[in-house]
Amino acid sequence: AATEDSHHTLPTLHRTEQQLRDVELVPFAAAVQAGVRAIMTGHLVVPAWGEGPATFNKRAFEILRGDLGFDGAVITDALDMGAVTGTSGMPGGAVRALLAGADALCVGGQLTDEATVDLIVDAITAAVTSGELPIERLAEAAARTAAIGVAAPVPAGYDDEIGLVAARRAIRATGVPVLSAPPLVLDVAVAPSIAVGDVPWGLGPVLADMLAGTTVLTVAEGDGIDADFVAEQAGGRPVVVVTRDAQRYPWVVDLIGTLAKLGLELIRVETGVPGPDLGIAARVDTHGGARVCLRAAAEYLASRAR
């Protein structure tokens, strides 16, 4: 997992290059093979590649272009994020990203206004004038960026439920999740990230529509709902605990650990990044919290009900 490095005060991913190829780069390689036309960089520092964030790191682009064979456009993550504003600043960060190999610059958010955009343009112009940024690099970036603006025609017979098809394929189950009765679904709500924002989430209502008798309990930090209360509400029925990046939140880890010690019939559905089981062996990983992911998980659980 990414951690905050005390030397950089930037998110840092401590991996060897081989570990990156075995895990983190696998979905990128698959996307390139599938013909994806644009990829976004992150501002993570990978010490094996050097000190700079991946957005500024030429080694990251060498692997993407050379090893993975990607020839589409690379778009930076937002340049108003702290990893950029706290180091190079947005104008300097824009130049560094282009020098590294980025093609399009993502700017916006509360820190960006017309004057800031003018500063970024001025910084790029000055870098070209001084010879720091070759004009050929800008031309290459412009060509790649323009290429993604031409949408491919929608093929005949396009399946408008393709997202659900993908969500069903993404389901991974371990520990034999089986419902002996309609469950109590415990939707564990956590604060939305700045990247995702506040979006509808929760498996309970979706499963309740498919499996009669299912009840729903939503808990958030500070609600005062403990494991004993959950057990009381379940009344001997199975409990489906639904989490999003559970391992990131100590209060969620504590709640799951306590539930696991009560001898309840438990299944955990993780809708974020898969992590440790935290004491619940029966588990479903959806690899996403979108509506189609929740529906796919509900379908799976309903199909496993006795």
Side-chain angles (χ1 to χ4, degrees), residues 203-290:
L203 177 67
V206 185
L207 184 58
D209 284 343
M210 297 183 186
L211 189 58
T214 297
T215 57
V216 184
L217 177 63
T218 302
V219 57
E221 187 174 16
D223 284 349
I225 296 177
D226 60 16
D228 290 332
F229 179 80
V230 174
E232 179 183 339
Q233 294 298 304
R237 292 177 296 144
V239 177
V240 176
V241 184
V242 188
T243 57
R244 180 165 53 188
D245 299 326
Q247 64 274 12
R248 293 181 53 203
Y249 304 93
W251 74 272
V252 178
V253 173
D254 290 344
L255 176 61
I256 293 174
T258 306
L259 283 169
K261 295 175 182 176
L262 295 182
L264 303 172
E265 181 184 336
L266 295 171
I267 296 174
R268 179 166 153 233
V269 176
E270 172 56 63
T271 65
V273 177
D277 62 30
L278 303 177
I280 300 179
R283 171 157 163 189
V284 177
D285 288 318
T286 66
H287 301 90

Side-chain angles (χ1 to χ4, degrees), residues 8-300:
H8 297 280
T9 63
L10 296 174
T12 301
L13 189 63
H14 295 283
R15 295 281 194 275
T16 65
E17 193 154 293
Q18 187 58 52
Q19 287 172 327
L20 289 167
R21 294 177 189 278
D22 292 342
V23 180
E24 280 80 9
L25 294 180
V26 171
F28 287 91
V32 172
Q33 287 289 323
V36 68
R37 298 161 67 197
I39 287 178
M40 176 173 280
T41 64
H43 301 323
L44 290 172
V45 173
V46 180
W49 291 347
E51 294 187 355
T55 299
F56 303 153
N57 197 302
K58 287 188 177 181
R59 179 59 182 155
F61 289 90
E62 288 171 359
I63 290 174
L64 184 59
R65 298 291 188 197
D67 296 10
L68 302 187
F70 180 62
D71 60 3
V74 177
I75 304 169
T76 71
D77 205 345
L79 296 182
D80 58 299
M81 290 181 171
V84 177
T85 59
T87 54
S88 302
M90 278 194 279
V95 173
R96 289 183 66 187
L98 289 168
L99 279 169
D103 302 306
L105 307 174
C106 176
V107 295
Q110 296 179 349
L111 299 179
T112 306
D113 53 20
E114 188 172 342
T116 304
V117 174
D118 288 341
L119 288 174
I120 292 172
V121 172
D122 290 344
I124 294 171
T125 302
V128 172
T129 302
S130 70
E132 177 188 7
L133 179 61
I135 191 67
E136 294 81 9
R137 172 77 270 273
L138 274 188
E140 176 187 60
R144 286 180 178 150
T145 303
I148 64 174
V150 181
V154 176
Y158 174 74
D159 183 356
D160 61 1
E161 289 201 347
I162 192 66
L164 181 57
V165 173
R168 288 168 177 156
R169 292 178 179 176
I171 292 288
R172 294 292 182 272
T174 55
V176 194
V178 176
L179 292 173
S180 62
L184 166 68
V185 177
L186 180 67
D187 279 325
V188 182
V190 295
S193 72
I194 190 173
V196 176
D198 191 8
V199 296
W201 179 86
L203 177 67
V206 185
L207 184 58
D209 284 343
M210 297 183 186
L211 189 58
T214 297
T215 57
V216 184
L217 177 63
T218 302
V219 57
E221 187 174 16
D223 284 349
I225 296 177
D226 60 16
D228 290 332
F229 179 80
V230 174
E232 179 183 339
Q233 294 298 304
R237 292 177 296 144
V239 177
V240 176
V241 184
V242 188
T243 57
R244 180 165 53 188
D245 299 326
Q247 64 274 12
R248 293 181 53 203
Y249 304 93
W251 74 272
V252 178
V253 173
D254 290 344
L255 176 61
I256 293 174
T258 306
L259 283 169
K261 295 175 182 176
L262 295 182
L264 303 172
E265 181 184 336
L266 295 171
I267 296 174
R268 179 166 153 233
V269 176
E270 172 56 63
T271 65
V273 177
D277 62 30
L278 303 177
I280 300 179
R283 171 157 163 189
V284 177
D285 288 318
T286 66
H287 301 90
R291 188 176 306 166
V292 288
C293 301
L294 299 173
R295 180 175 163 187
E299 287 176 348
Y300 177 83

